[in-house]
Amino acid sequence: MISDQDRLSKAYNTADGLYEDNNTNTLFIAGTRNLNDVGEWWKIPAFKTKDSAIYSRAKKYLDEHPNITNLVGHSFGGSAALQFQKDDQKYQTRTYGAPVFDPIPRNPWHKPQRFCNRYDPVCSADMGAEKQEHLTNFNLNTHSYYNASTHYGPCL
């Protein structure tokens, strides 16, 4: 079975930043990929994720593929996934390094499927995310979606 990380890599390598796994009804949403995306970063803390190009591309795809019920996103793509879940409870999400402001410390009995590499400045304000200790390949890129957790299949 292919891991989330491998499928996110596939999303980053597509023209629209999206990759669908038909076996699990999951859409993988890449994060920032170009300067236009960088120019929209301000929309996340301004609660305007819905006005971003990443969200718009994913929305168009989801409208055309109503069978999708799981969303996995990295970074800005994770913010878009969480916005979809907030607006429609049919979606289950799993995010990696999403810029989320959640000041409430992680509840040990509730495990949201949000993951953040320790020392990643992008998701450092997400106290509800599970912090990952290990970086792979001795890579110092703390914002990578490759981390100690390897997930497969649909979101729970």
Side-chain angles (χ1 to χ4, degrees):
M1 192 173 236
I2 302 172
S3 69
D4 282 358
Q5 289 82 358
D6 292 335
R7 292 179 289 189
L8 280 167
S9 290
K10 289 181 182 212
Y12 272 99
N13 289 320
T14 64
D16 59 4
L18 305 171
Y19 174 77
E20 181 182 357
D21 179 348
N22 295 322
N23 296 324
T24 60
N25 294 325
T26 303
L27 181 65
F28 292 82
I29 308 170
T32 301
R33 299 180 318 135
N34 56 47
L35 289 175
N36 290 332
D37 292 342
V38 171
E40 294 192 324
W41 283 354
W42 68 270
K43 293 179 180 179
I44 298 169
F47 305 104
K48 295 195 176 283
T49 301
K50 284 183 172 184
D51 296 336
S52 70
I54 290 172
Y55 181 92
S56 295
R57 286 190 302 269
K59 173 87 169 106
K60 181 177 186 258
Y61 195 92
L62 291 169
D63 287 347
E64 295 169 358
H65 299 85
N67 60 305
I68 295 174
T69 56
N70 299 292
L71 305 172
V72 175
H74 172 247
S75 194
F76 203 151
S79 290
L82 291 170
Q83 183 66 52
F84 284 111
Q85 183 181 42
K86 179 180 175 185
D87 294 342
D88 188 341
Q89 293 299 307
K90 103 173 190 178
Y91 296 113
Q92 296 297 312
T93 61
R94 187 162 42 236
T95 65
Y96 298 90
V100 171
F101 178 70
D102 185 356
I104 299 169
R106 190 168 173 270
N107 179 339
W109 295 281
H110 173 66
K111 296 184 179 182
Q113 292 194 331
R114 298 192 320 246
F115 301 92
C116 177
N117 285 327
R118 193 168 298 286
Y119 310 117
D120 179 351
V122 174
C123 58
S124 62
D126 186 359
M127 299 317 224
E130 181 178 323
K131 304 294 186 199
Q132 304 296 301
E133 292 289 341
H134 305 290
L135 300 175
T136 59
N137 301 329
F138 302 103
N139 185 345
L140 297 178
N141 178 5
T142 58
H143 191 56
S144 172
Y145 49 88
Y146 281 89
N147 55 32
S149 294
T150 304
H151 300 280
Y152 304 89
C155 306
L156 302 174

